[in-house]
């Protein structure tokens, strides 16, 4: 009995010991850039026999149960070197952090051809401009200047990029985040994707950073004043001689902090900014002199701008397959002494503006299976704006000579938007499907008292001195208005790699909204890529893109419907009392209405391009892009006289401006693009394009009015933004002495401007008559005037100094950022689409979703580890030059024939040279 008991006890002890020694091998797989790699095949070998297999999750993590002992660990992923390592599995084994290196080419005869092999992936077109970390660091710190710069790149292909839009972490619209929070910028990516409402040419997708496994921070300061800036060429004294530079000063403060709150689970990225800008606005006008003649008037107006912004971004790893992203932004901006209406507007029309907005975003990404990913997004945004004029008085507008009197723009708006979407993506070996539903609900509350006191319009300075106005307008009624609008869309997008050389993309999008009865808004789209050779590809695409009836248009129609607010238009009134010869209540009311058959505008877009990859990092693209707009919005006076100068149709009513969807447009653009990337001591990155473009239309927007309301064909002509030639080039490279240079060169040929007589012959309440061509006897076309071209160079020079020597990780430890065993257990997510960087991002994430690969890994150290440099504090000194050559950028050409400025520019399209100095401390 005792022997049986002892045997039983020994057996239980052995079982318990064996059970207690069972273990797990776990860790995270990264590429050499620190981005996680999902879908990596993992195998455990003993004696050349596979004993366990697994796959890394969407966050790059893996966990495999194994008995304690010695194993060979093998990790494999397409286009990466196979990783192998001998590991000793124990019950107390910590997590591993494994960095996989990009596969190298070993056959000399295939090096050039394979290295330059061109991709047929729809997100890998050479027409896409991708700005990475080095380039982003040299961009402007001021968010308005950064936005303008990105718009210039997006619009550099002529009509193809005429309307730049921003998509930030999958959310449309919103303000561009600080550059320190931007991980990557992709411009004109996958233009015919059905995931987005508009065509991709001009679409700018911004992927933001999340907190990483290390704590990082920065302090940034920028300074600029009039001593560093050149003088505005249009700021002169009374005799026309150059004047002393007016005061101008800028102080920008910024701080950023990021890091883990709960290691491996929760990260935070905080950014705070305080901008103090005092810019100078130059008035250029002709005013009445003491001798009764016109007198040149040029004066500076200081416009203070104070902007405070707080932004917080967080990433929470719910579990291995689910990640939550949260973003909150709050902004308060105060702009004082603002002038609207062009350089001829005088200082007494100034107003102050206060803006407050807040934004909350949340999105959750779930890796459901190896090939299926789901994402849900929600955004709530609140925008408050109040404009208060500094003086309340009747306005005097002498066409393109001077515009004086009170501001009369006492407005307030309180708008709220909710955006939501539900998206799903399947990714297989040859087929990727993305589908989803998107919606936006807008709630706008506003109060507008525009022109409630009234405005006199004079054709010329002589008529003003004679007291004979051309027109008097005034608005009255209820300033309050509430408008709501729901916008929805659903889409499906397919990418099918039919062969190794041919990829077909096709999909459809359906859009609907309230405030209009238009339901035929199905947009089919397709694109293809064919690899002619390993370094030459042919791409093309075709699609329909519907546009929205903007809520601002709905507000304009609703507010001025003749019931809520009434507008009166009196031709040739008495002065200074416009009602001297009549009762205001007897004056016919002008109002706005809409056509009963109003539909949503749409464009048909097509593109064909040839892309060539050349040795030494050079790539060229040759492309054609065509666009045809149908059902564009424009207005016309349906109560205008049938004969110019005759009687109006209904004398009991004033002008009736009806919104119609009858406009058209056509655009053709031929572009040559180039990219160059040299990975040597210079590390040169160069990109740019030249575009030859032609754009014609017969509408300048929903409020544009024809000269003859019954002859709309005469409005066909050059578009206001038609520019025949455009060249844009951006470059970033490392120079001797540790300097880094970033430059942008922008050249554009002349833009047209419209020429009008400054008189009203049609008796329709509109002052837009164009002159008659004496040779043909016909009215000249729209936008017949030709301005000057633009040439501009911006330059950023910076030098970074390390404040302490770089330390090497001790041999035998794994490369990483401070996680267990030195591993980076909370690396930044893969940029782009699922799963890490946001559903609508750029290239897809790592395997199985394809992806952007990093460079080679670190140096192999003893015991299977990697030696990697640790982050050290740095100080960066920066100088930014805008309009480096101080080239005068003529803009705002005057086309009013009764103005003394007719045919001349009265302001600059860009400021004179400005120099900004900056200091940045990173830790």
């Amino acid at each position: 009995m005792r022997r049986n008991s002892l045997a039983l006890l020994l057996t239980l002890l052995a079982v318990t010991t064996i059970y207690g020694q069972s273990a797990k091998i776990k860790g995270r797989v990264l590429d050499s850039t620190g981005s996680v790699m999902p879908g990596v095949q993992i195998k455990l070998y003993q004696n050349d026999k596979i004993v366990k297999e697994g796959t890394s999750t969407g966050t790059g993590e893996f966990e495999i149960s194994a008995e304690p002992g010695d194993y060979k660990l093998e990790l494999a992923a397409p286009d990466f070197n196979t990783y192998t390592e001998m590991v000793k599995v124990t019950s107390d084994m910590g997590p591993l952090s494994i960095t996989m290196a990009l596969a190298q080419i070993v056959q000399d005869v295939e090096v050039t051809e394979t290295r330059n092999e061109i991709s047929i992936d729809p997100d890998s077109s050479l027409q896409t401009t991708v700005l990475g970390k080095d380039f982003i660091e040299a961009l402007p710190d001021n968010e308005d200047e950064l936005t303008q710069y990105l718009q210039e790149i997006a619009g550099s292909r002529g009509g193809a990029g005429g309307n730049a839009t921003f998509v930030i972490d999958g959310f449309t619209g919103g303000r561009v985040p600080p550059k320190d929070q931007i991980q990557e910028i992709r411009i004109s990516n996958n233009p015919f994707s059905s995931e987005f409402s508009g065509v991709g040419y001009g679409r700018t997708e911004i992927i933001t950073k999340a907190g990483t496994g290390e704590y990082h921070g920065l302090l940034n300061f920028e300074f600029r004043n009039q001593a560093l800036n050149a003088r505005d060429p249009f700021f002169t004294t009374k005799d026309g001689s150059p004047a002393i530079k007016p005061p101008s000063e800028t102080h920008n403060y910024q701080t950023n902090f990021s890091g883990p709150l709960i290691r491996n689970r929760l990260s935070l990225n905080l950014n705070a900014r305080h901008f103090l800008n005092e810019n100078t606005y130059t008035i250029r006008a002709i005013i009445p002199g003491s001798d009764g003649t016109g007198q040149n008037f040029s004066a500076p107006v200081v416009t203070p701008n104070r902007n405070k912004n707080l932004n917080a971004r967080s990433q929470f790893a719910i579990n291995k397959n689910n990640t939550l992203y949260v973003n909150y932004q709050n902004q308060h901006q105060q702009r004082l002494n603002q002038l609207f209406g062009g350089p001829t507007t005088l200082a007494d029309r100034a107003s102050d503006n206060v803006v407050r907005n807040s934004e909350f975003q949340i999105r959750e990404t779930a890796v459901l299976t190896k090939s299926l990913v789901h994402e849900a997004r929600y955004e709530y945004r609140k925008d408050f704006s109040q404009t208060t004029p500094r003086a309340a008085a009747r306005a005097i507008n002498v066409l393109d000579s001077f515009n004086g009197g009170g501001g009369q723009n006492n407005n307030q708006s309180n708008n709220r938007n909710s955006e939501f979407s539900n998206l799903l993506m399947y990714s297989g070996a040859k087929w990727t499907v993305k589908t989803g539903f998107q919606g936006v609900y807008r709630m706008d509350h506003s109060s507008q008292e525009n022109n409630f006191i009234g405005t006199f319009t004079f054709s010329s300075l002589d008529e003003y001195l004679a007291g004979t106005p051309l027109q008097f307008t005034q608005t009255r009624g209820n300033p309050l208005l509430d408008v709501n609008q729901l916008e929805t869309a659903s889409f499906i997008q397919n990418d099918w790699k039919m062969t190794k050389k041919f990829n077909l993309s096709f999909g459809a999008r359906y859009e609907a909204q309230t405030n209009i009865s238009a339901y035929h808004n199905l947009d089919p789209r397709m694109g293809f890529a064919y690899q002619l050779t390993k370094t030459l590809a042919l791409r093309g695409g075709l699609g329909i893109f519907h546009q929205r009836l903007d809520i601002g248009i709905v507000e304009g129609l609703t507010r001025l419907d003749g019931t809520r607010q009434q507008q009166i238009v009196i031709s040739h009134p008495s002065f200074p009392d416009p009602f001297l010869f009549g009762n205001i209540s007897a004056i016919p009311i002008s109002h706005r209405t809409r056509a009963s058959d109003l539909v949503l505008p749409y464009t048909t877009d097509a593109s064909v391009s040839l892309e060539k990859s050349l040795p030494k990092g050079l790539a060229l693209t040759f492309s054609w892009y065509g666009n045809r707009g149908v059902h564009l919005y424009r207005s016309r006076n349906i109560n205008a006289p049938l004969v110019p100068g005759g009687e109006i149709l209904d004398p009991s009513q004033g002008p009736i401006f009806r919104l119609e969807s009858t406009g058209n447009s056509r655009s053709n653009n031929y572009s040559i693009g180039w990219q160059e990337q040299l990975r040597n001591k210079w590390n040169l990155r160069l990109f740019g394009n030249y575009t030859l473009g032609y754009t014609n239309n017969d509408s300048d927007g929903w409020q544009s009015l024809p000269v003859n309301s019954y002859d709309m064909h005469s409005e066909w002509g050059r578009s206001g933004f038609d520019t025949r030639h455009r060249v844009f080039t951006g470059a970033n490279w490392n120079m001797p002495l540790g300097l880094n240079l970033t430059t942008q060169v922008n050249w554009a040929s002349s833009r047209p401007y419209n020429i009008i007589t400054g008189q009203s012959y049609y008796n329709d309440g509109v002052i837009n008559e164009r002159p008659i061509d004496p040779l043909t006897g016909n009215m000249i076309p729209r936008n017949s005037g030709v301005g000057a071209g633009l040439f501009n160079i911006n330059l950023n020079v910076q030098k970074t100094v390390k404040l302490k020597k770089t330390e090497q990780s001790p041999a035998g430890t794994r490369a990483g950022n401070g996680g267990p065993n030195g591993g980076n257990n909370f690396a930044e997510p893969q940029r782009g689409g699922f799963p890490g960087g946001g559903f609508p991002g750029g290239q897809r994430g790592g395997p199985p979703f394809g992806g952007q690969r990093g460079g080679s890994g670190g140096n192999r150290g003893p015991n299977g580890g990697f030696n990697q440099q640790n982050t050290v504090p740095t100080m960066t000194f920066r100088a930014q030059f805008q309009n480096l050559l101080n080239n005068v950028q003529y803009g705002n050409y005057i086309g009013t024939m009764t103005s003394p400025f007719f045919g001349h520019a009265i302001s600059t399209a860009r400021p004179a040279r400005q120099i900004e100095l900056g200091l940045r401390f990173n830790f």
Side-chain angles (χ1 to χ4, degrees), residues 677-697:
Q677 187 156 1
L678 297 178
R679 297 188 180 276
N680 52 27
K681 66 178 182 178
W682 300 94
N683 198 26
L684 173 66
R685 168 72 196 284
L686 176 72
F687 65 90
N689 63 76
Y690 161 77
T691 298
L692 172 67
Y694 302 85
T695 304
N696 294 314
N697 62 22

Side-chain angles (χ1 to χ4, degrees), residues 578-641:
F579 311 116
L580 182 62
F581 304 112
N583 189 346
I584 185 174
S585 61
I587 300 174
I589 299 299
S590 171
H591 65 277
R592 292 188 175 273
T593 184
R594 67 165 73 183
S596 58
D597 58 349
L598 193 72
V599 296
L600 294 178
Y602 70 87
T603 62
T604 301
D605 298 73
S607 176
V608 176
S609 66
L610 194 64
E611 302 180 358
K612 175 65 175 177
S613 177
L614 298 170
K616 297 185 179 181
L618 179 62
L620 297 176
T621 62
F622 305 88
S623 63
W624 164 80
Y625 168 78
N627 170 290
R628 181 173 179 266
V630 181
H631 297 311
L632 305 184
Y633 289 143
R634 61 183 177 183
S635 298
R636 69 184 182 98
N637 181 5
I638 60 174
N639 199 32

Side-chain angles (χ1 to χ4, degrees), residues 134-136 138 682-687 730-734 740-743 798:
D134 293 338
F135 209 102
I136 292 172
W682 300 94
N683 198 26
L684 173 66
R685 168 72 196 284
L686 176 72
F687 65 90
N732 174 270
W733 67 93
N734 297 324
N740 180 271
L741 269 64
T742 300
T743 183
Q798 62 183 31

Side-chain angles (χ1 to χ4, degrees), residues 7 132 227 239 252 291 349 418 439 488 571 585 623 728 730 752 778 794 825:
D239 60 2
N252 294 340
D291 57 355
R349 298 214 68 182
S418 292
T488 61
S571 297
S585 61
S623 63
F728 181 89
N778 298 322
N794 293 338
N825 295 313

